[in-house]
């Protein structure tokens, strides 16, 4: 499988697209020049209020909405961490030795947050879920510093290995290796990509993660370094003390594999940053990082824009004429499966089953592409066979097995609905795929011009299957000129050869309007002919 990453750097945001075998799989957007409260950011925040009924507290970390901290997210080592922070802030000249801090009792799972946290307390917290809709960030005080091969957890003791590493011998090797270099009072989680890595490489990354933790505490001790030495008021104590790696580096850190063949970036500064990082984690692959310098926008040149337009609308097509309708509410996402007017089999049960299986492929792709999280309800085409329902459920589980986000899938209910919960740590990707109509100047909406030729070709196929050759097509002169580009291989000539259609221009038609007639000049409708065939 060929994987490629494309980074489009603009003044307001950075967009990152991941393709696998030239198909768009993920799209990430990151705002620039502002604190976007990304997952992994560490803040020194003030508790605003404690809510015993929720067993949670609301914390000010600088966002317009107060962040949410549940008791279970305090972590078992909360008291030890607080004692360490107290030592660090009482003597700002030195960095406290982790081993010198007396270990405090672990928090009970069924405890109450009001027993440990009060309004006005200052806490070191980390974002585990970005602000979504009207909700502020979600926090934890169980700090973790993520690297490519491992995650470092201050004040923990255990070394854990990713369950995705299946070989027991490799799991034992990694665990023993990490235990030999494990710093006192630090726990570690070995990530899947560490499989097969040597001791020197892991030890080098551990040193980098330890340095990031120490830099975090020094920033906490010396806030004046971030304010030019100016005196700060008490509200300014709330601040960012460790910023997670930029979204571009974060994506590369989490998904980079030896299958990557290219990383294309259209900004020299980001290019240098990414190349330096890839040289650090995989020196042999530094050559695949390339600076894109063509005049055409990078997403247009590599067909990302077209795939976003076709794949991120409310209605998304899939094989054999089926389509999904994806709607979002405050509480959940709903996905409706439709077979269109085409039949694959005469038997209704088999037809529904085959379309549902094709729909499942596209749904798994859409969940990852849009990064849809929370509750997802899928309304599949009704099937009577219990065996088919079970096969569809197992197929969906297989398709989702490679999804990095935590998820849970339930079998179809008696109403034909499938429920999926998927980890939501960031807002779902939303791209406005509609464009302002060039005729009505924005009073209405039309489909993207980029897709108009695809629609024309789809109608030509329907009419050719139904009528054969000899029908006619009229288009607006601008559209006619567009399809007539190219001396020998224009779209017009391709369509004439393939479908036997006569194409002409008609000044009276709207910009995105098409008019079909039969050999006798009678108007014909592609939709009606498609309906008759089905």
């Amino acid at each position: 499988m060929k994987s490629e990453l494309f980074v489009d750097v603009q003044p307001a945001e950075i967009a990152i697209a991941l393709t696998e075998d030239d198909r768009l799989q993920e799209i990430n957007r990151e705002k620039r020049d502002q604190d976007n409260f990304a997952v992994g950011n560490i803040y020194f925040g003030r508790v605003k209020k404690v809510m015993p009924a929720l067993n949670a507290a609301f914390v000010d970390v600088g966002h317009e909405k107060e962040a949410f901290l549940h008791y279970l997210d305090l972590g078992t080592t909360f008291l030890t961490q607080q004692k360490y922070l107290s030592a660090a802030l009482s003597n700002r000249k030195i960095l406290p030795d982790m081993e010198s801090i007396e270990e405090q009792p672990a928090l009970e799972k069924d405890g109450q947050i009001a027993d440990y946290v009060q309004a006005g307390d200052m806490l070191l917290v980390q974002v585990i879920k970005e602000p979504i809709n009207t909700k502020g960030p979600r926090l934890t005080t169980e700090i973790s510093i993520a690297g490519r091969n491992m995650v470092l957890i201050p004040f923990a003791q255990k070394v854990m290995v990713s369950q995705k590493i299946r070989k027991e011998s490799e799991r034992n090797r990694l665990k023993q290796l990490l235990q030999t270099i494990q710093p006192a009072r630090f726990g570690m989680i070995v990530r899947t990509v560490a499989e097969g890595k040597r001791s020197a490489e892991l030890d080098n990354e551990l040193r980098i993660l330890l340095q990031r933790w120490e830099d975090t505490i020094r920033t906490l001790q010396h806030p004046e370094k971030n304010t030019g030495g100016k005196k700060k008021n008490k509200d300014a104590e709330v601040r960012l003390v460790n910023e997670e790696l930029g979204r571009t580096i974060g994506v590369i850190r989490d998904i980079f594999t030896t299958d990557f063949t290219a990383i294309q970036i259209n900004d020299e500064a980001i290019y240098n940053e990414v190349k330096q990082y890839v040289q650090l984690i995989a020196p042999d692959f530094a050559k695949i990082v390339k600076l894109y310098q063509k005049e055409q926008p990078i997403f247009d040149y590599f067909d990302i824009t077209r795939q976003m337009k076709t794949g991120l609308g409310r209605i998304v097509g899939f094989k054999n004429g089926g389509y999904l309708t994806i709607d979002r509410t405050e509480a959940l996402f709903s996905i409706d499966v439709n077979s269109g007017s085409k039949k694959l089999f005469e038997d209704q049960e088999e037809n529904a089953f085959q379309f549902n299986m094709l729909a499942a492929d596209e749904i798994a792709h859409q969940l990852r592409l849009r990064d849809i999280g929370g509750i997802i309800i899928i309304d599949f085409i009704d099937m009577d066979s219990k065996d088919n329902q079970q096969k569809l459920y197992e197929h969906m589980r297989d398709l989702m097995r490679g999804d990095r986000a935590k998820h849970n899938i339930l079998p179809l209910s008696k109403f034909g609905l499938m429920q999926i919960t998927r980890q939501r740590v960031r807002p779902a990707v939303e791209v406005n795929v509609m464009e302002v109509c060039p005729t009505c100047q924005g009073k209405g909406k039309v489909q993207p011009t980029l897709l108009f030729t695809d629609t024309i070709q789809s109608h030509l196929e329907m009419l050719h299957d139904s009528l054969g050759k000899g029908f006619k097509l009229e288009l607006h002169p601008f559209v006619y000129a567009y399809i007539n580009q190219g001396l020998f291989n224009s779209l017009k000539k391709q369509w004439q050869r393939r479908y036997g259609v006569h194409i002409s221009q008609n000044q009276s038609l709207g910009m995105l309007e098409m008019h079909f007639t039969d050999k006798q000049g009678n108007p014909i409708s592609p939709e009606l002919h498609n309906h008759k065939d089905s």
Side-chain angles (χ1 to χ4, degrees):
M1 181 176 64
K2 179 182 71 172
S3 297
E4 295 177 285
L5 201 69
F6 304 95
V7 183
D8 181 19
V9 181
Q10 299 297 330
E13 71 172 14
I14 299 176
I16 306 158
L18 169 69
T19 66
E20 292 176 356
D21 294 332
D22 298 322
R23 187 185 187 193
L24 182 62
Q25 295 291 346
E26 293 184 18
I27 184 78
N28 291 276
R29 294 178 181 275
E30 178 184 20
K31 297 293 183 184
R32 304 186 73 188
D33 301 324
Q34 66 177 46
D35 190 349
N36 58 4
F37 296 88
V39 171
N41 280 5
I42 301 174
Y43 294 85
F44 197 43
R46 175 182 287 104
V47 177
K48 300 297 287 187
K49 52 182 174 285
V50 177
M51 307 293 288
L54 300 175
N55 203 15
F58 287 95
V59 182
D60 176 18
V61 291
H63 190 264
E64 57 183 352
K65 299 286 185 181
E66 291 171 354
F68 183 81
L69 174 67
H70 193 271
Y71 170 78
L72 293 177
D73 291 320
L74 292 179
T76 57
T77 61
F78 174 73
L79 294 178
T80 304
Q81 176 180 299
Q82 288 299 97
K83 193 171 184 65
Y84 177 83
L85 294 178
S86 177
L89 294 173
S90 62
N91 185 356
R92 298 173 187 262
K93 294 182 179 180
I94 62 171
L95 198 68
D97 182 9
M98 297 280 283
E99 291 186 80
S100 66
I101 303 301
E102 183 181 353
E103 186 172 355
Q104 302 298 302
L107 266 61
E108 301 289 340
K109 286 187 177 181
D110 56 354
Q112 295 297 313
I113 195 167
D115 295 335
Y116 303 98
V117 173
Q118 305 297 322
D121 287 354
M122 299 298 295
L123 305 177
L124 190 67
V125 292
Q126 188 170 33
V127 177
I128 55 174
K129 185 181 290 187
E130 291 181 9
I132 298 175
N133 298 333
T134 59
K135 298 178 181 178
R138 180 156 184 170
L139 308 174
T140 180
T141 60
E142 198 167 20
I143 307 300
S144 60
I145 311 292
R148 173 160 172 77
N149 297 300
M150 68 182 75
V151 178
L152 184 70
I153 308 174
F155 309 106
Q157 303 291 337
K158 294 182 179 179
V159 172
M160 295 170 283
V161 180
S162 169
Q163 294 181 351
K164 292 183 180 179
I165 298 177
R166 304 294 184 185
K167 292 182 181 178
E168 193 63 31
S169 59
E170 178 64 7
R171 292 174 60 85
N172 291 334
R173 182 189 76 87
L174 287 169
K175 190 169 185 176
Q176 291 173 5
L177 194 158
L178 267 293
Q179 285 174 339
T180 61
I181 61 174
Q182 180 184 9
R185 308 298 282 274
F186 283 94
M188 288 181 283
I189 300 174
V190 183
R191 306 184 74 174
T192 310
V193 292
E195 188 170 5
K197 293 294 192 306
R198 290 172 294 185
S199 174
E201 189 174 349
L202 297 176
D203 184 58
N204 183 53
E205 183 172 65
L206 176 60
R207 293 174 186 275
I208 294 172
L209 298 182
L210 284 169
Q211 187 61 51
R212 285 182 61 192
W213 165 251
E214 291 177 0
D215 290 344
T216 299
I217 302 304
R218 288 193 179 96
T219 303
L220 184 68
Q221 290 177 313
H222 304 285
E224 67 279 358
K225 290 184 179 180
N226 296 330
T227 59
K230 295 179 181 179
K231 199 76 174 175
K232 296 166 64 79
N233 58 40
K234 69 172 186 176
D235 289 335
E237 292 176 6
V238 173
R239 61 190 182 275
L240 175 70
V241 293
N242 186 294
E243 188 169 12
E244 172 65 347
L245 297 173
R247 185 67 56 86
T248 307
I249 299 296
V251 169
I252 293 172
R253 179 192 66 197
D254 292 340
I255 68 175
F256 184 85
T257 68
T258 54
D259 293 327
F260 267 70
T261 58
I263 300 175
Q264 298 271 0
I265 305 166
N266 66 348
D267 179 85
E268 190 170 0
I270 302 294
Y271 160 78
N272 290 330
E273 182 183 344
V274 170
K275 187 156 190 173
Q276 184 178 6
Y277 182 75
V278 173
Q279 283 176 331
L280 177 66
I281 65 170
D284 294 340
F285 286 85
K287 61 181 179 293
I288 72 172
V289 183
K290 301 173 183 177
L291 180 62
Y292 178 83
Q293 295 178 300
K294 294 182 173 62
E295 290 186 10
Q296 187 177 4
I298 184 171
F299 277 10
D300 290 358
Y301 184 82
F302 290 105
D303 200 38
I304 303 299
T305 302
R306 174 182 289 273
Q307 293 192 56
M308 288 170 61
K309 295 279 189 181
T310 56
L312 290 168
R314 178 174 178 262
I315 296 176
V316 180
F318 58 87
K319 291 180 181 178
N320 295 319
Y323 62 93
L324 308 174
T325 303
I326 304 175
D327 289 303
R328 175 181 181 175
T329 69
E330 183 69 23
L332 52 82
F333 281 84
S334 67
I335 302 177
D336 185 41
V337 178
N338 298 276
S339 62
S341 56
K342 189 172 182 179
K343 283 189 176 180
L344 300 178
F345 300 90
E346 288 300 321
D347 179 68
Q348 175 60 30
E349 177 69 21
E350 184 64 19
N351 193 65
F353 174 66
Q354 293 298 334
F355 267 108
N356 283 339
M357 295 290 276
L358 291 173
D361 293 341
E362 184 59 35
I363 289 168
H365 174 243
Q366 286 292 320
L367 296 185
R368 182 180 173 191
L369 175 62
R370 301 176 187 233
D371 200 11
I372 293 176
I375 301 172
I376 303 115
I377 305 295
I378 306 169
D379 184 9
F380 283 104
I381 303 170
D382 290 341
M383 298 182 297
D384 295 326
S385 168
K386 298 295 183 184
D387 287 342
N388 286 344
Q389 292 179 12
Q390 182 63 23
K391 288 177 183 177
L392 177 60
Y393 167 64
E394 292 173 356
H395 183 55
M396 180 59 79
R397 290 186 63 184
D398 290 339
L399 291 169
M400 296 284 289
R401 192 159 282 136
D403 195 328
R404 297 195 310 275
K406 295 178 182 178
H407 58 271
N408 186 34
I409 306 173
L410 298 182
L412 271 69
S413 71
K414 64 179 180 180
F415 298 116
L417 303 176
M418 178 179 288
Q419 300 177 61
I420 298 177
T421 58
R422 187 173 182 272
Q423 183 184 27
R424 175 168 59 184
V425 296
R426 298 184 178 95
V429 174
E430 291 185 355
V431 175
N432 184 9
V433 300
M434 305 307 287
E435 297 177 356
V436 175
C437 172
T439 302
C440 72
Q441 298 299 318
K443 294 180 181 178
K445 295 288 183 180
V446 297
Q447 84 172 150
T449 53
L450 188 65
L451 307 183
F452 186 54
T453 54
D454 292 352
T455 303
I456 295 174
Q457 184 163 343
S458 176
H459 288 344
L460 289 173
E461 288 178 354
M462 293 179 191
L463 290 173
H464 180 262
D465 291 345
S466 177
L467 301 176
K469 298 183 177 182
F471 59 97
K472 301 176 183 179
L473 166 64
E474 294 180 343
L475 298 168
H476 186 279
F478 285 178
V479 178
Y480 180 83
Y482 174 76
I483 68 167
N484 206 25
Q485 294 180 98
L487 186 60
F488 299 111
N489 201 33
S490 66
L491 279 174
K492 176 187 172 184
K493 292 186 183 299
Q494 291 179 40
W495 291 346
Q496 285 177 331
R497 289 193 297 266
R498 188 180 304 174
Y499 307 115
V501 59
H502 179 267
I503 305 175
S504 60
Q505 51 186 312
N506 185 338
Q507 191 90 30
S508 65
L509 293 177
M511 179 81 74
L512 300 183
E513 192 176 353
M514 65 188 94
H515 184 225
F516 291 95
T517 56
D518 60 18
K519 295 178 182 178
Q520 290 73 39
N522 300 314
I524 52 179
S525 168
E527 287 83 0
L528 289 177
H529 280 268
N530 186 44
H531 178 70
K532 289 176 182 177
D533 290 344
S534 62

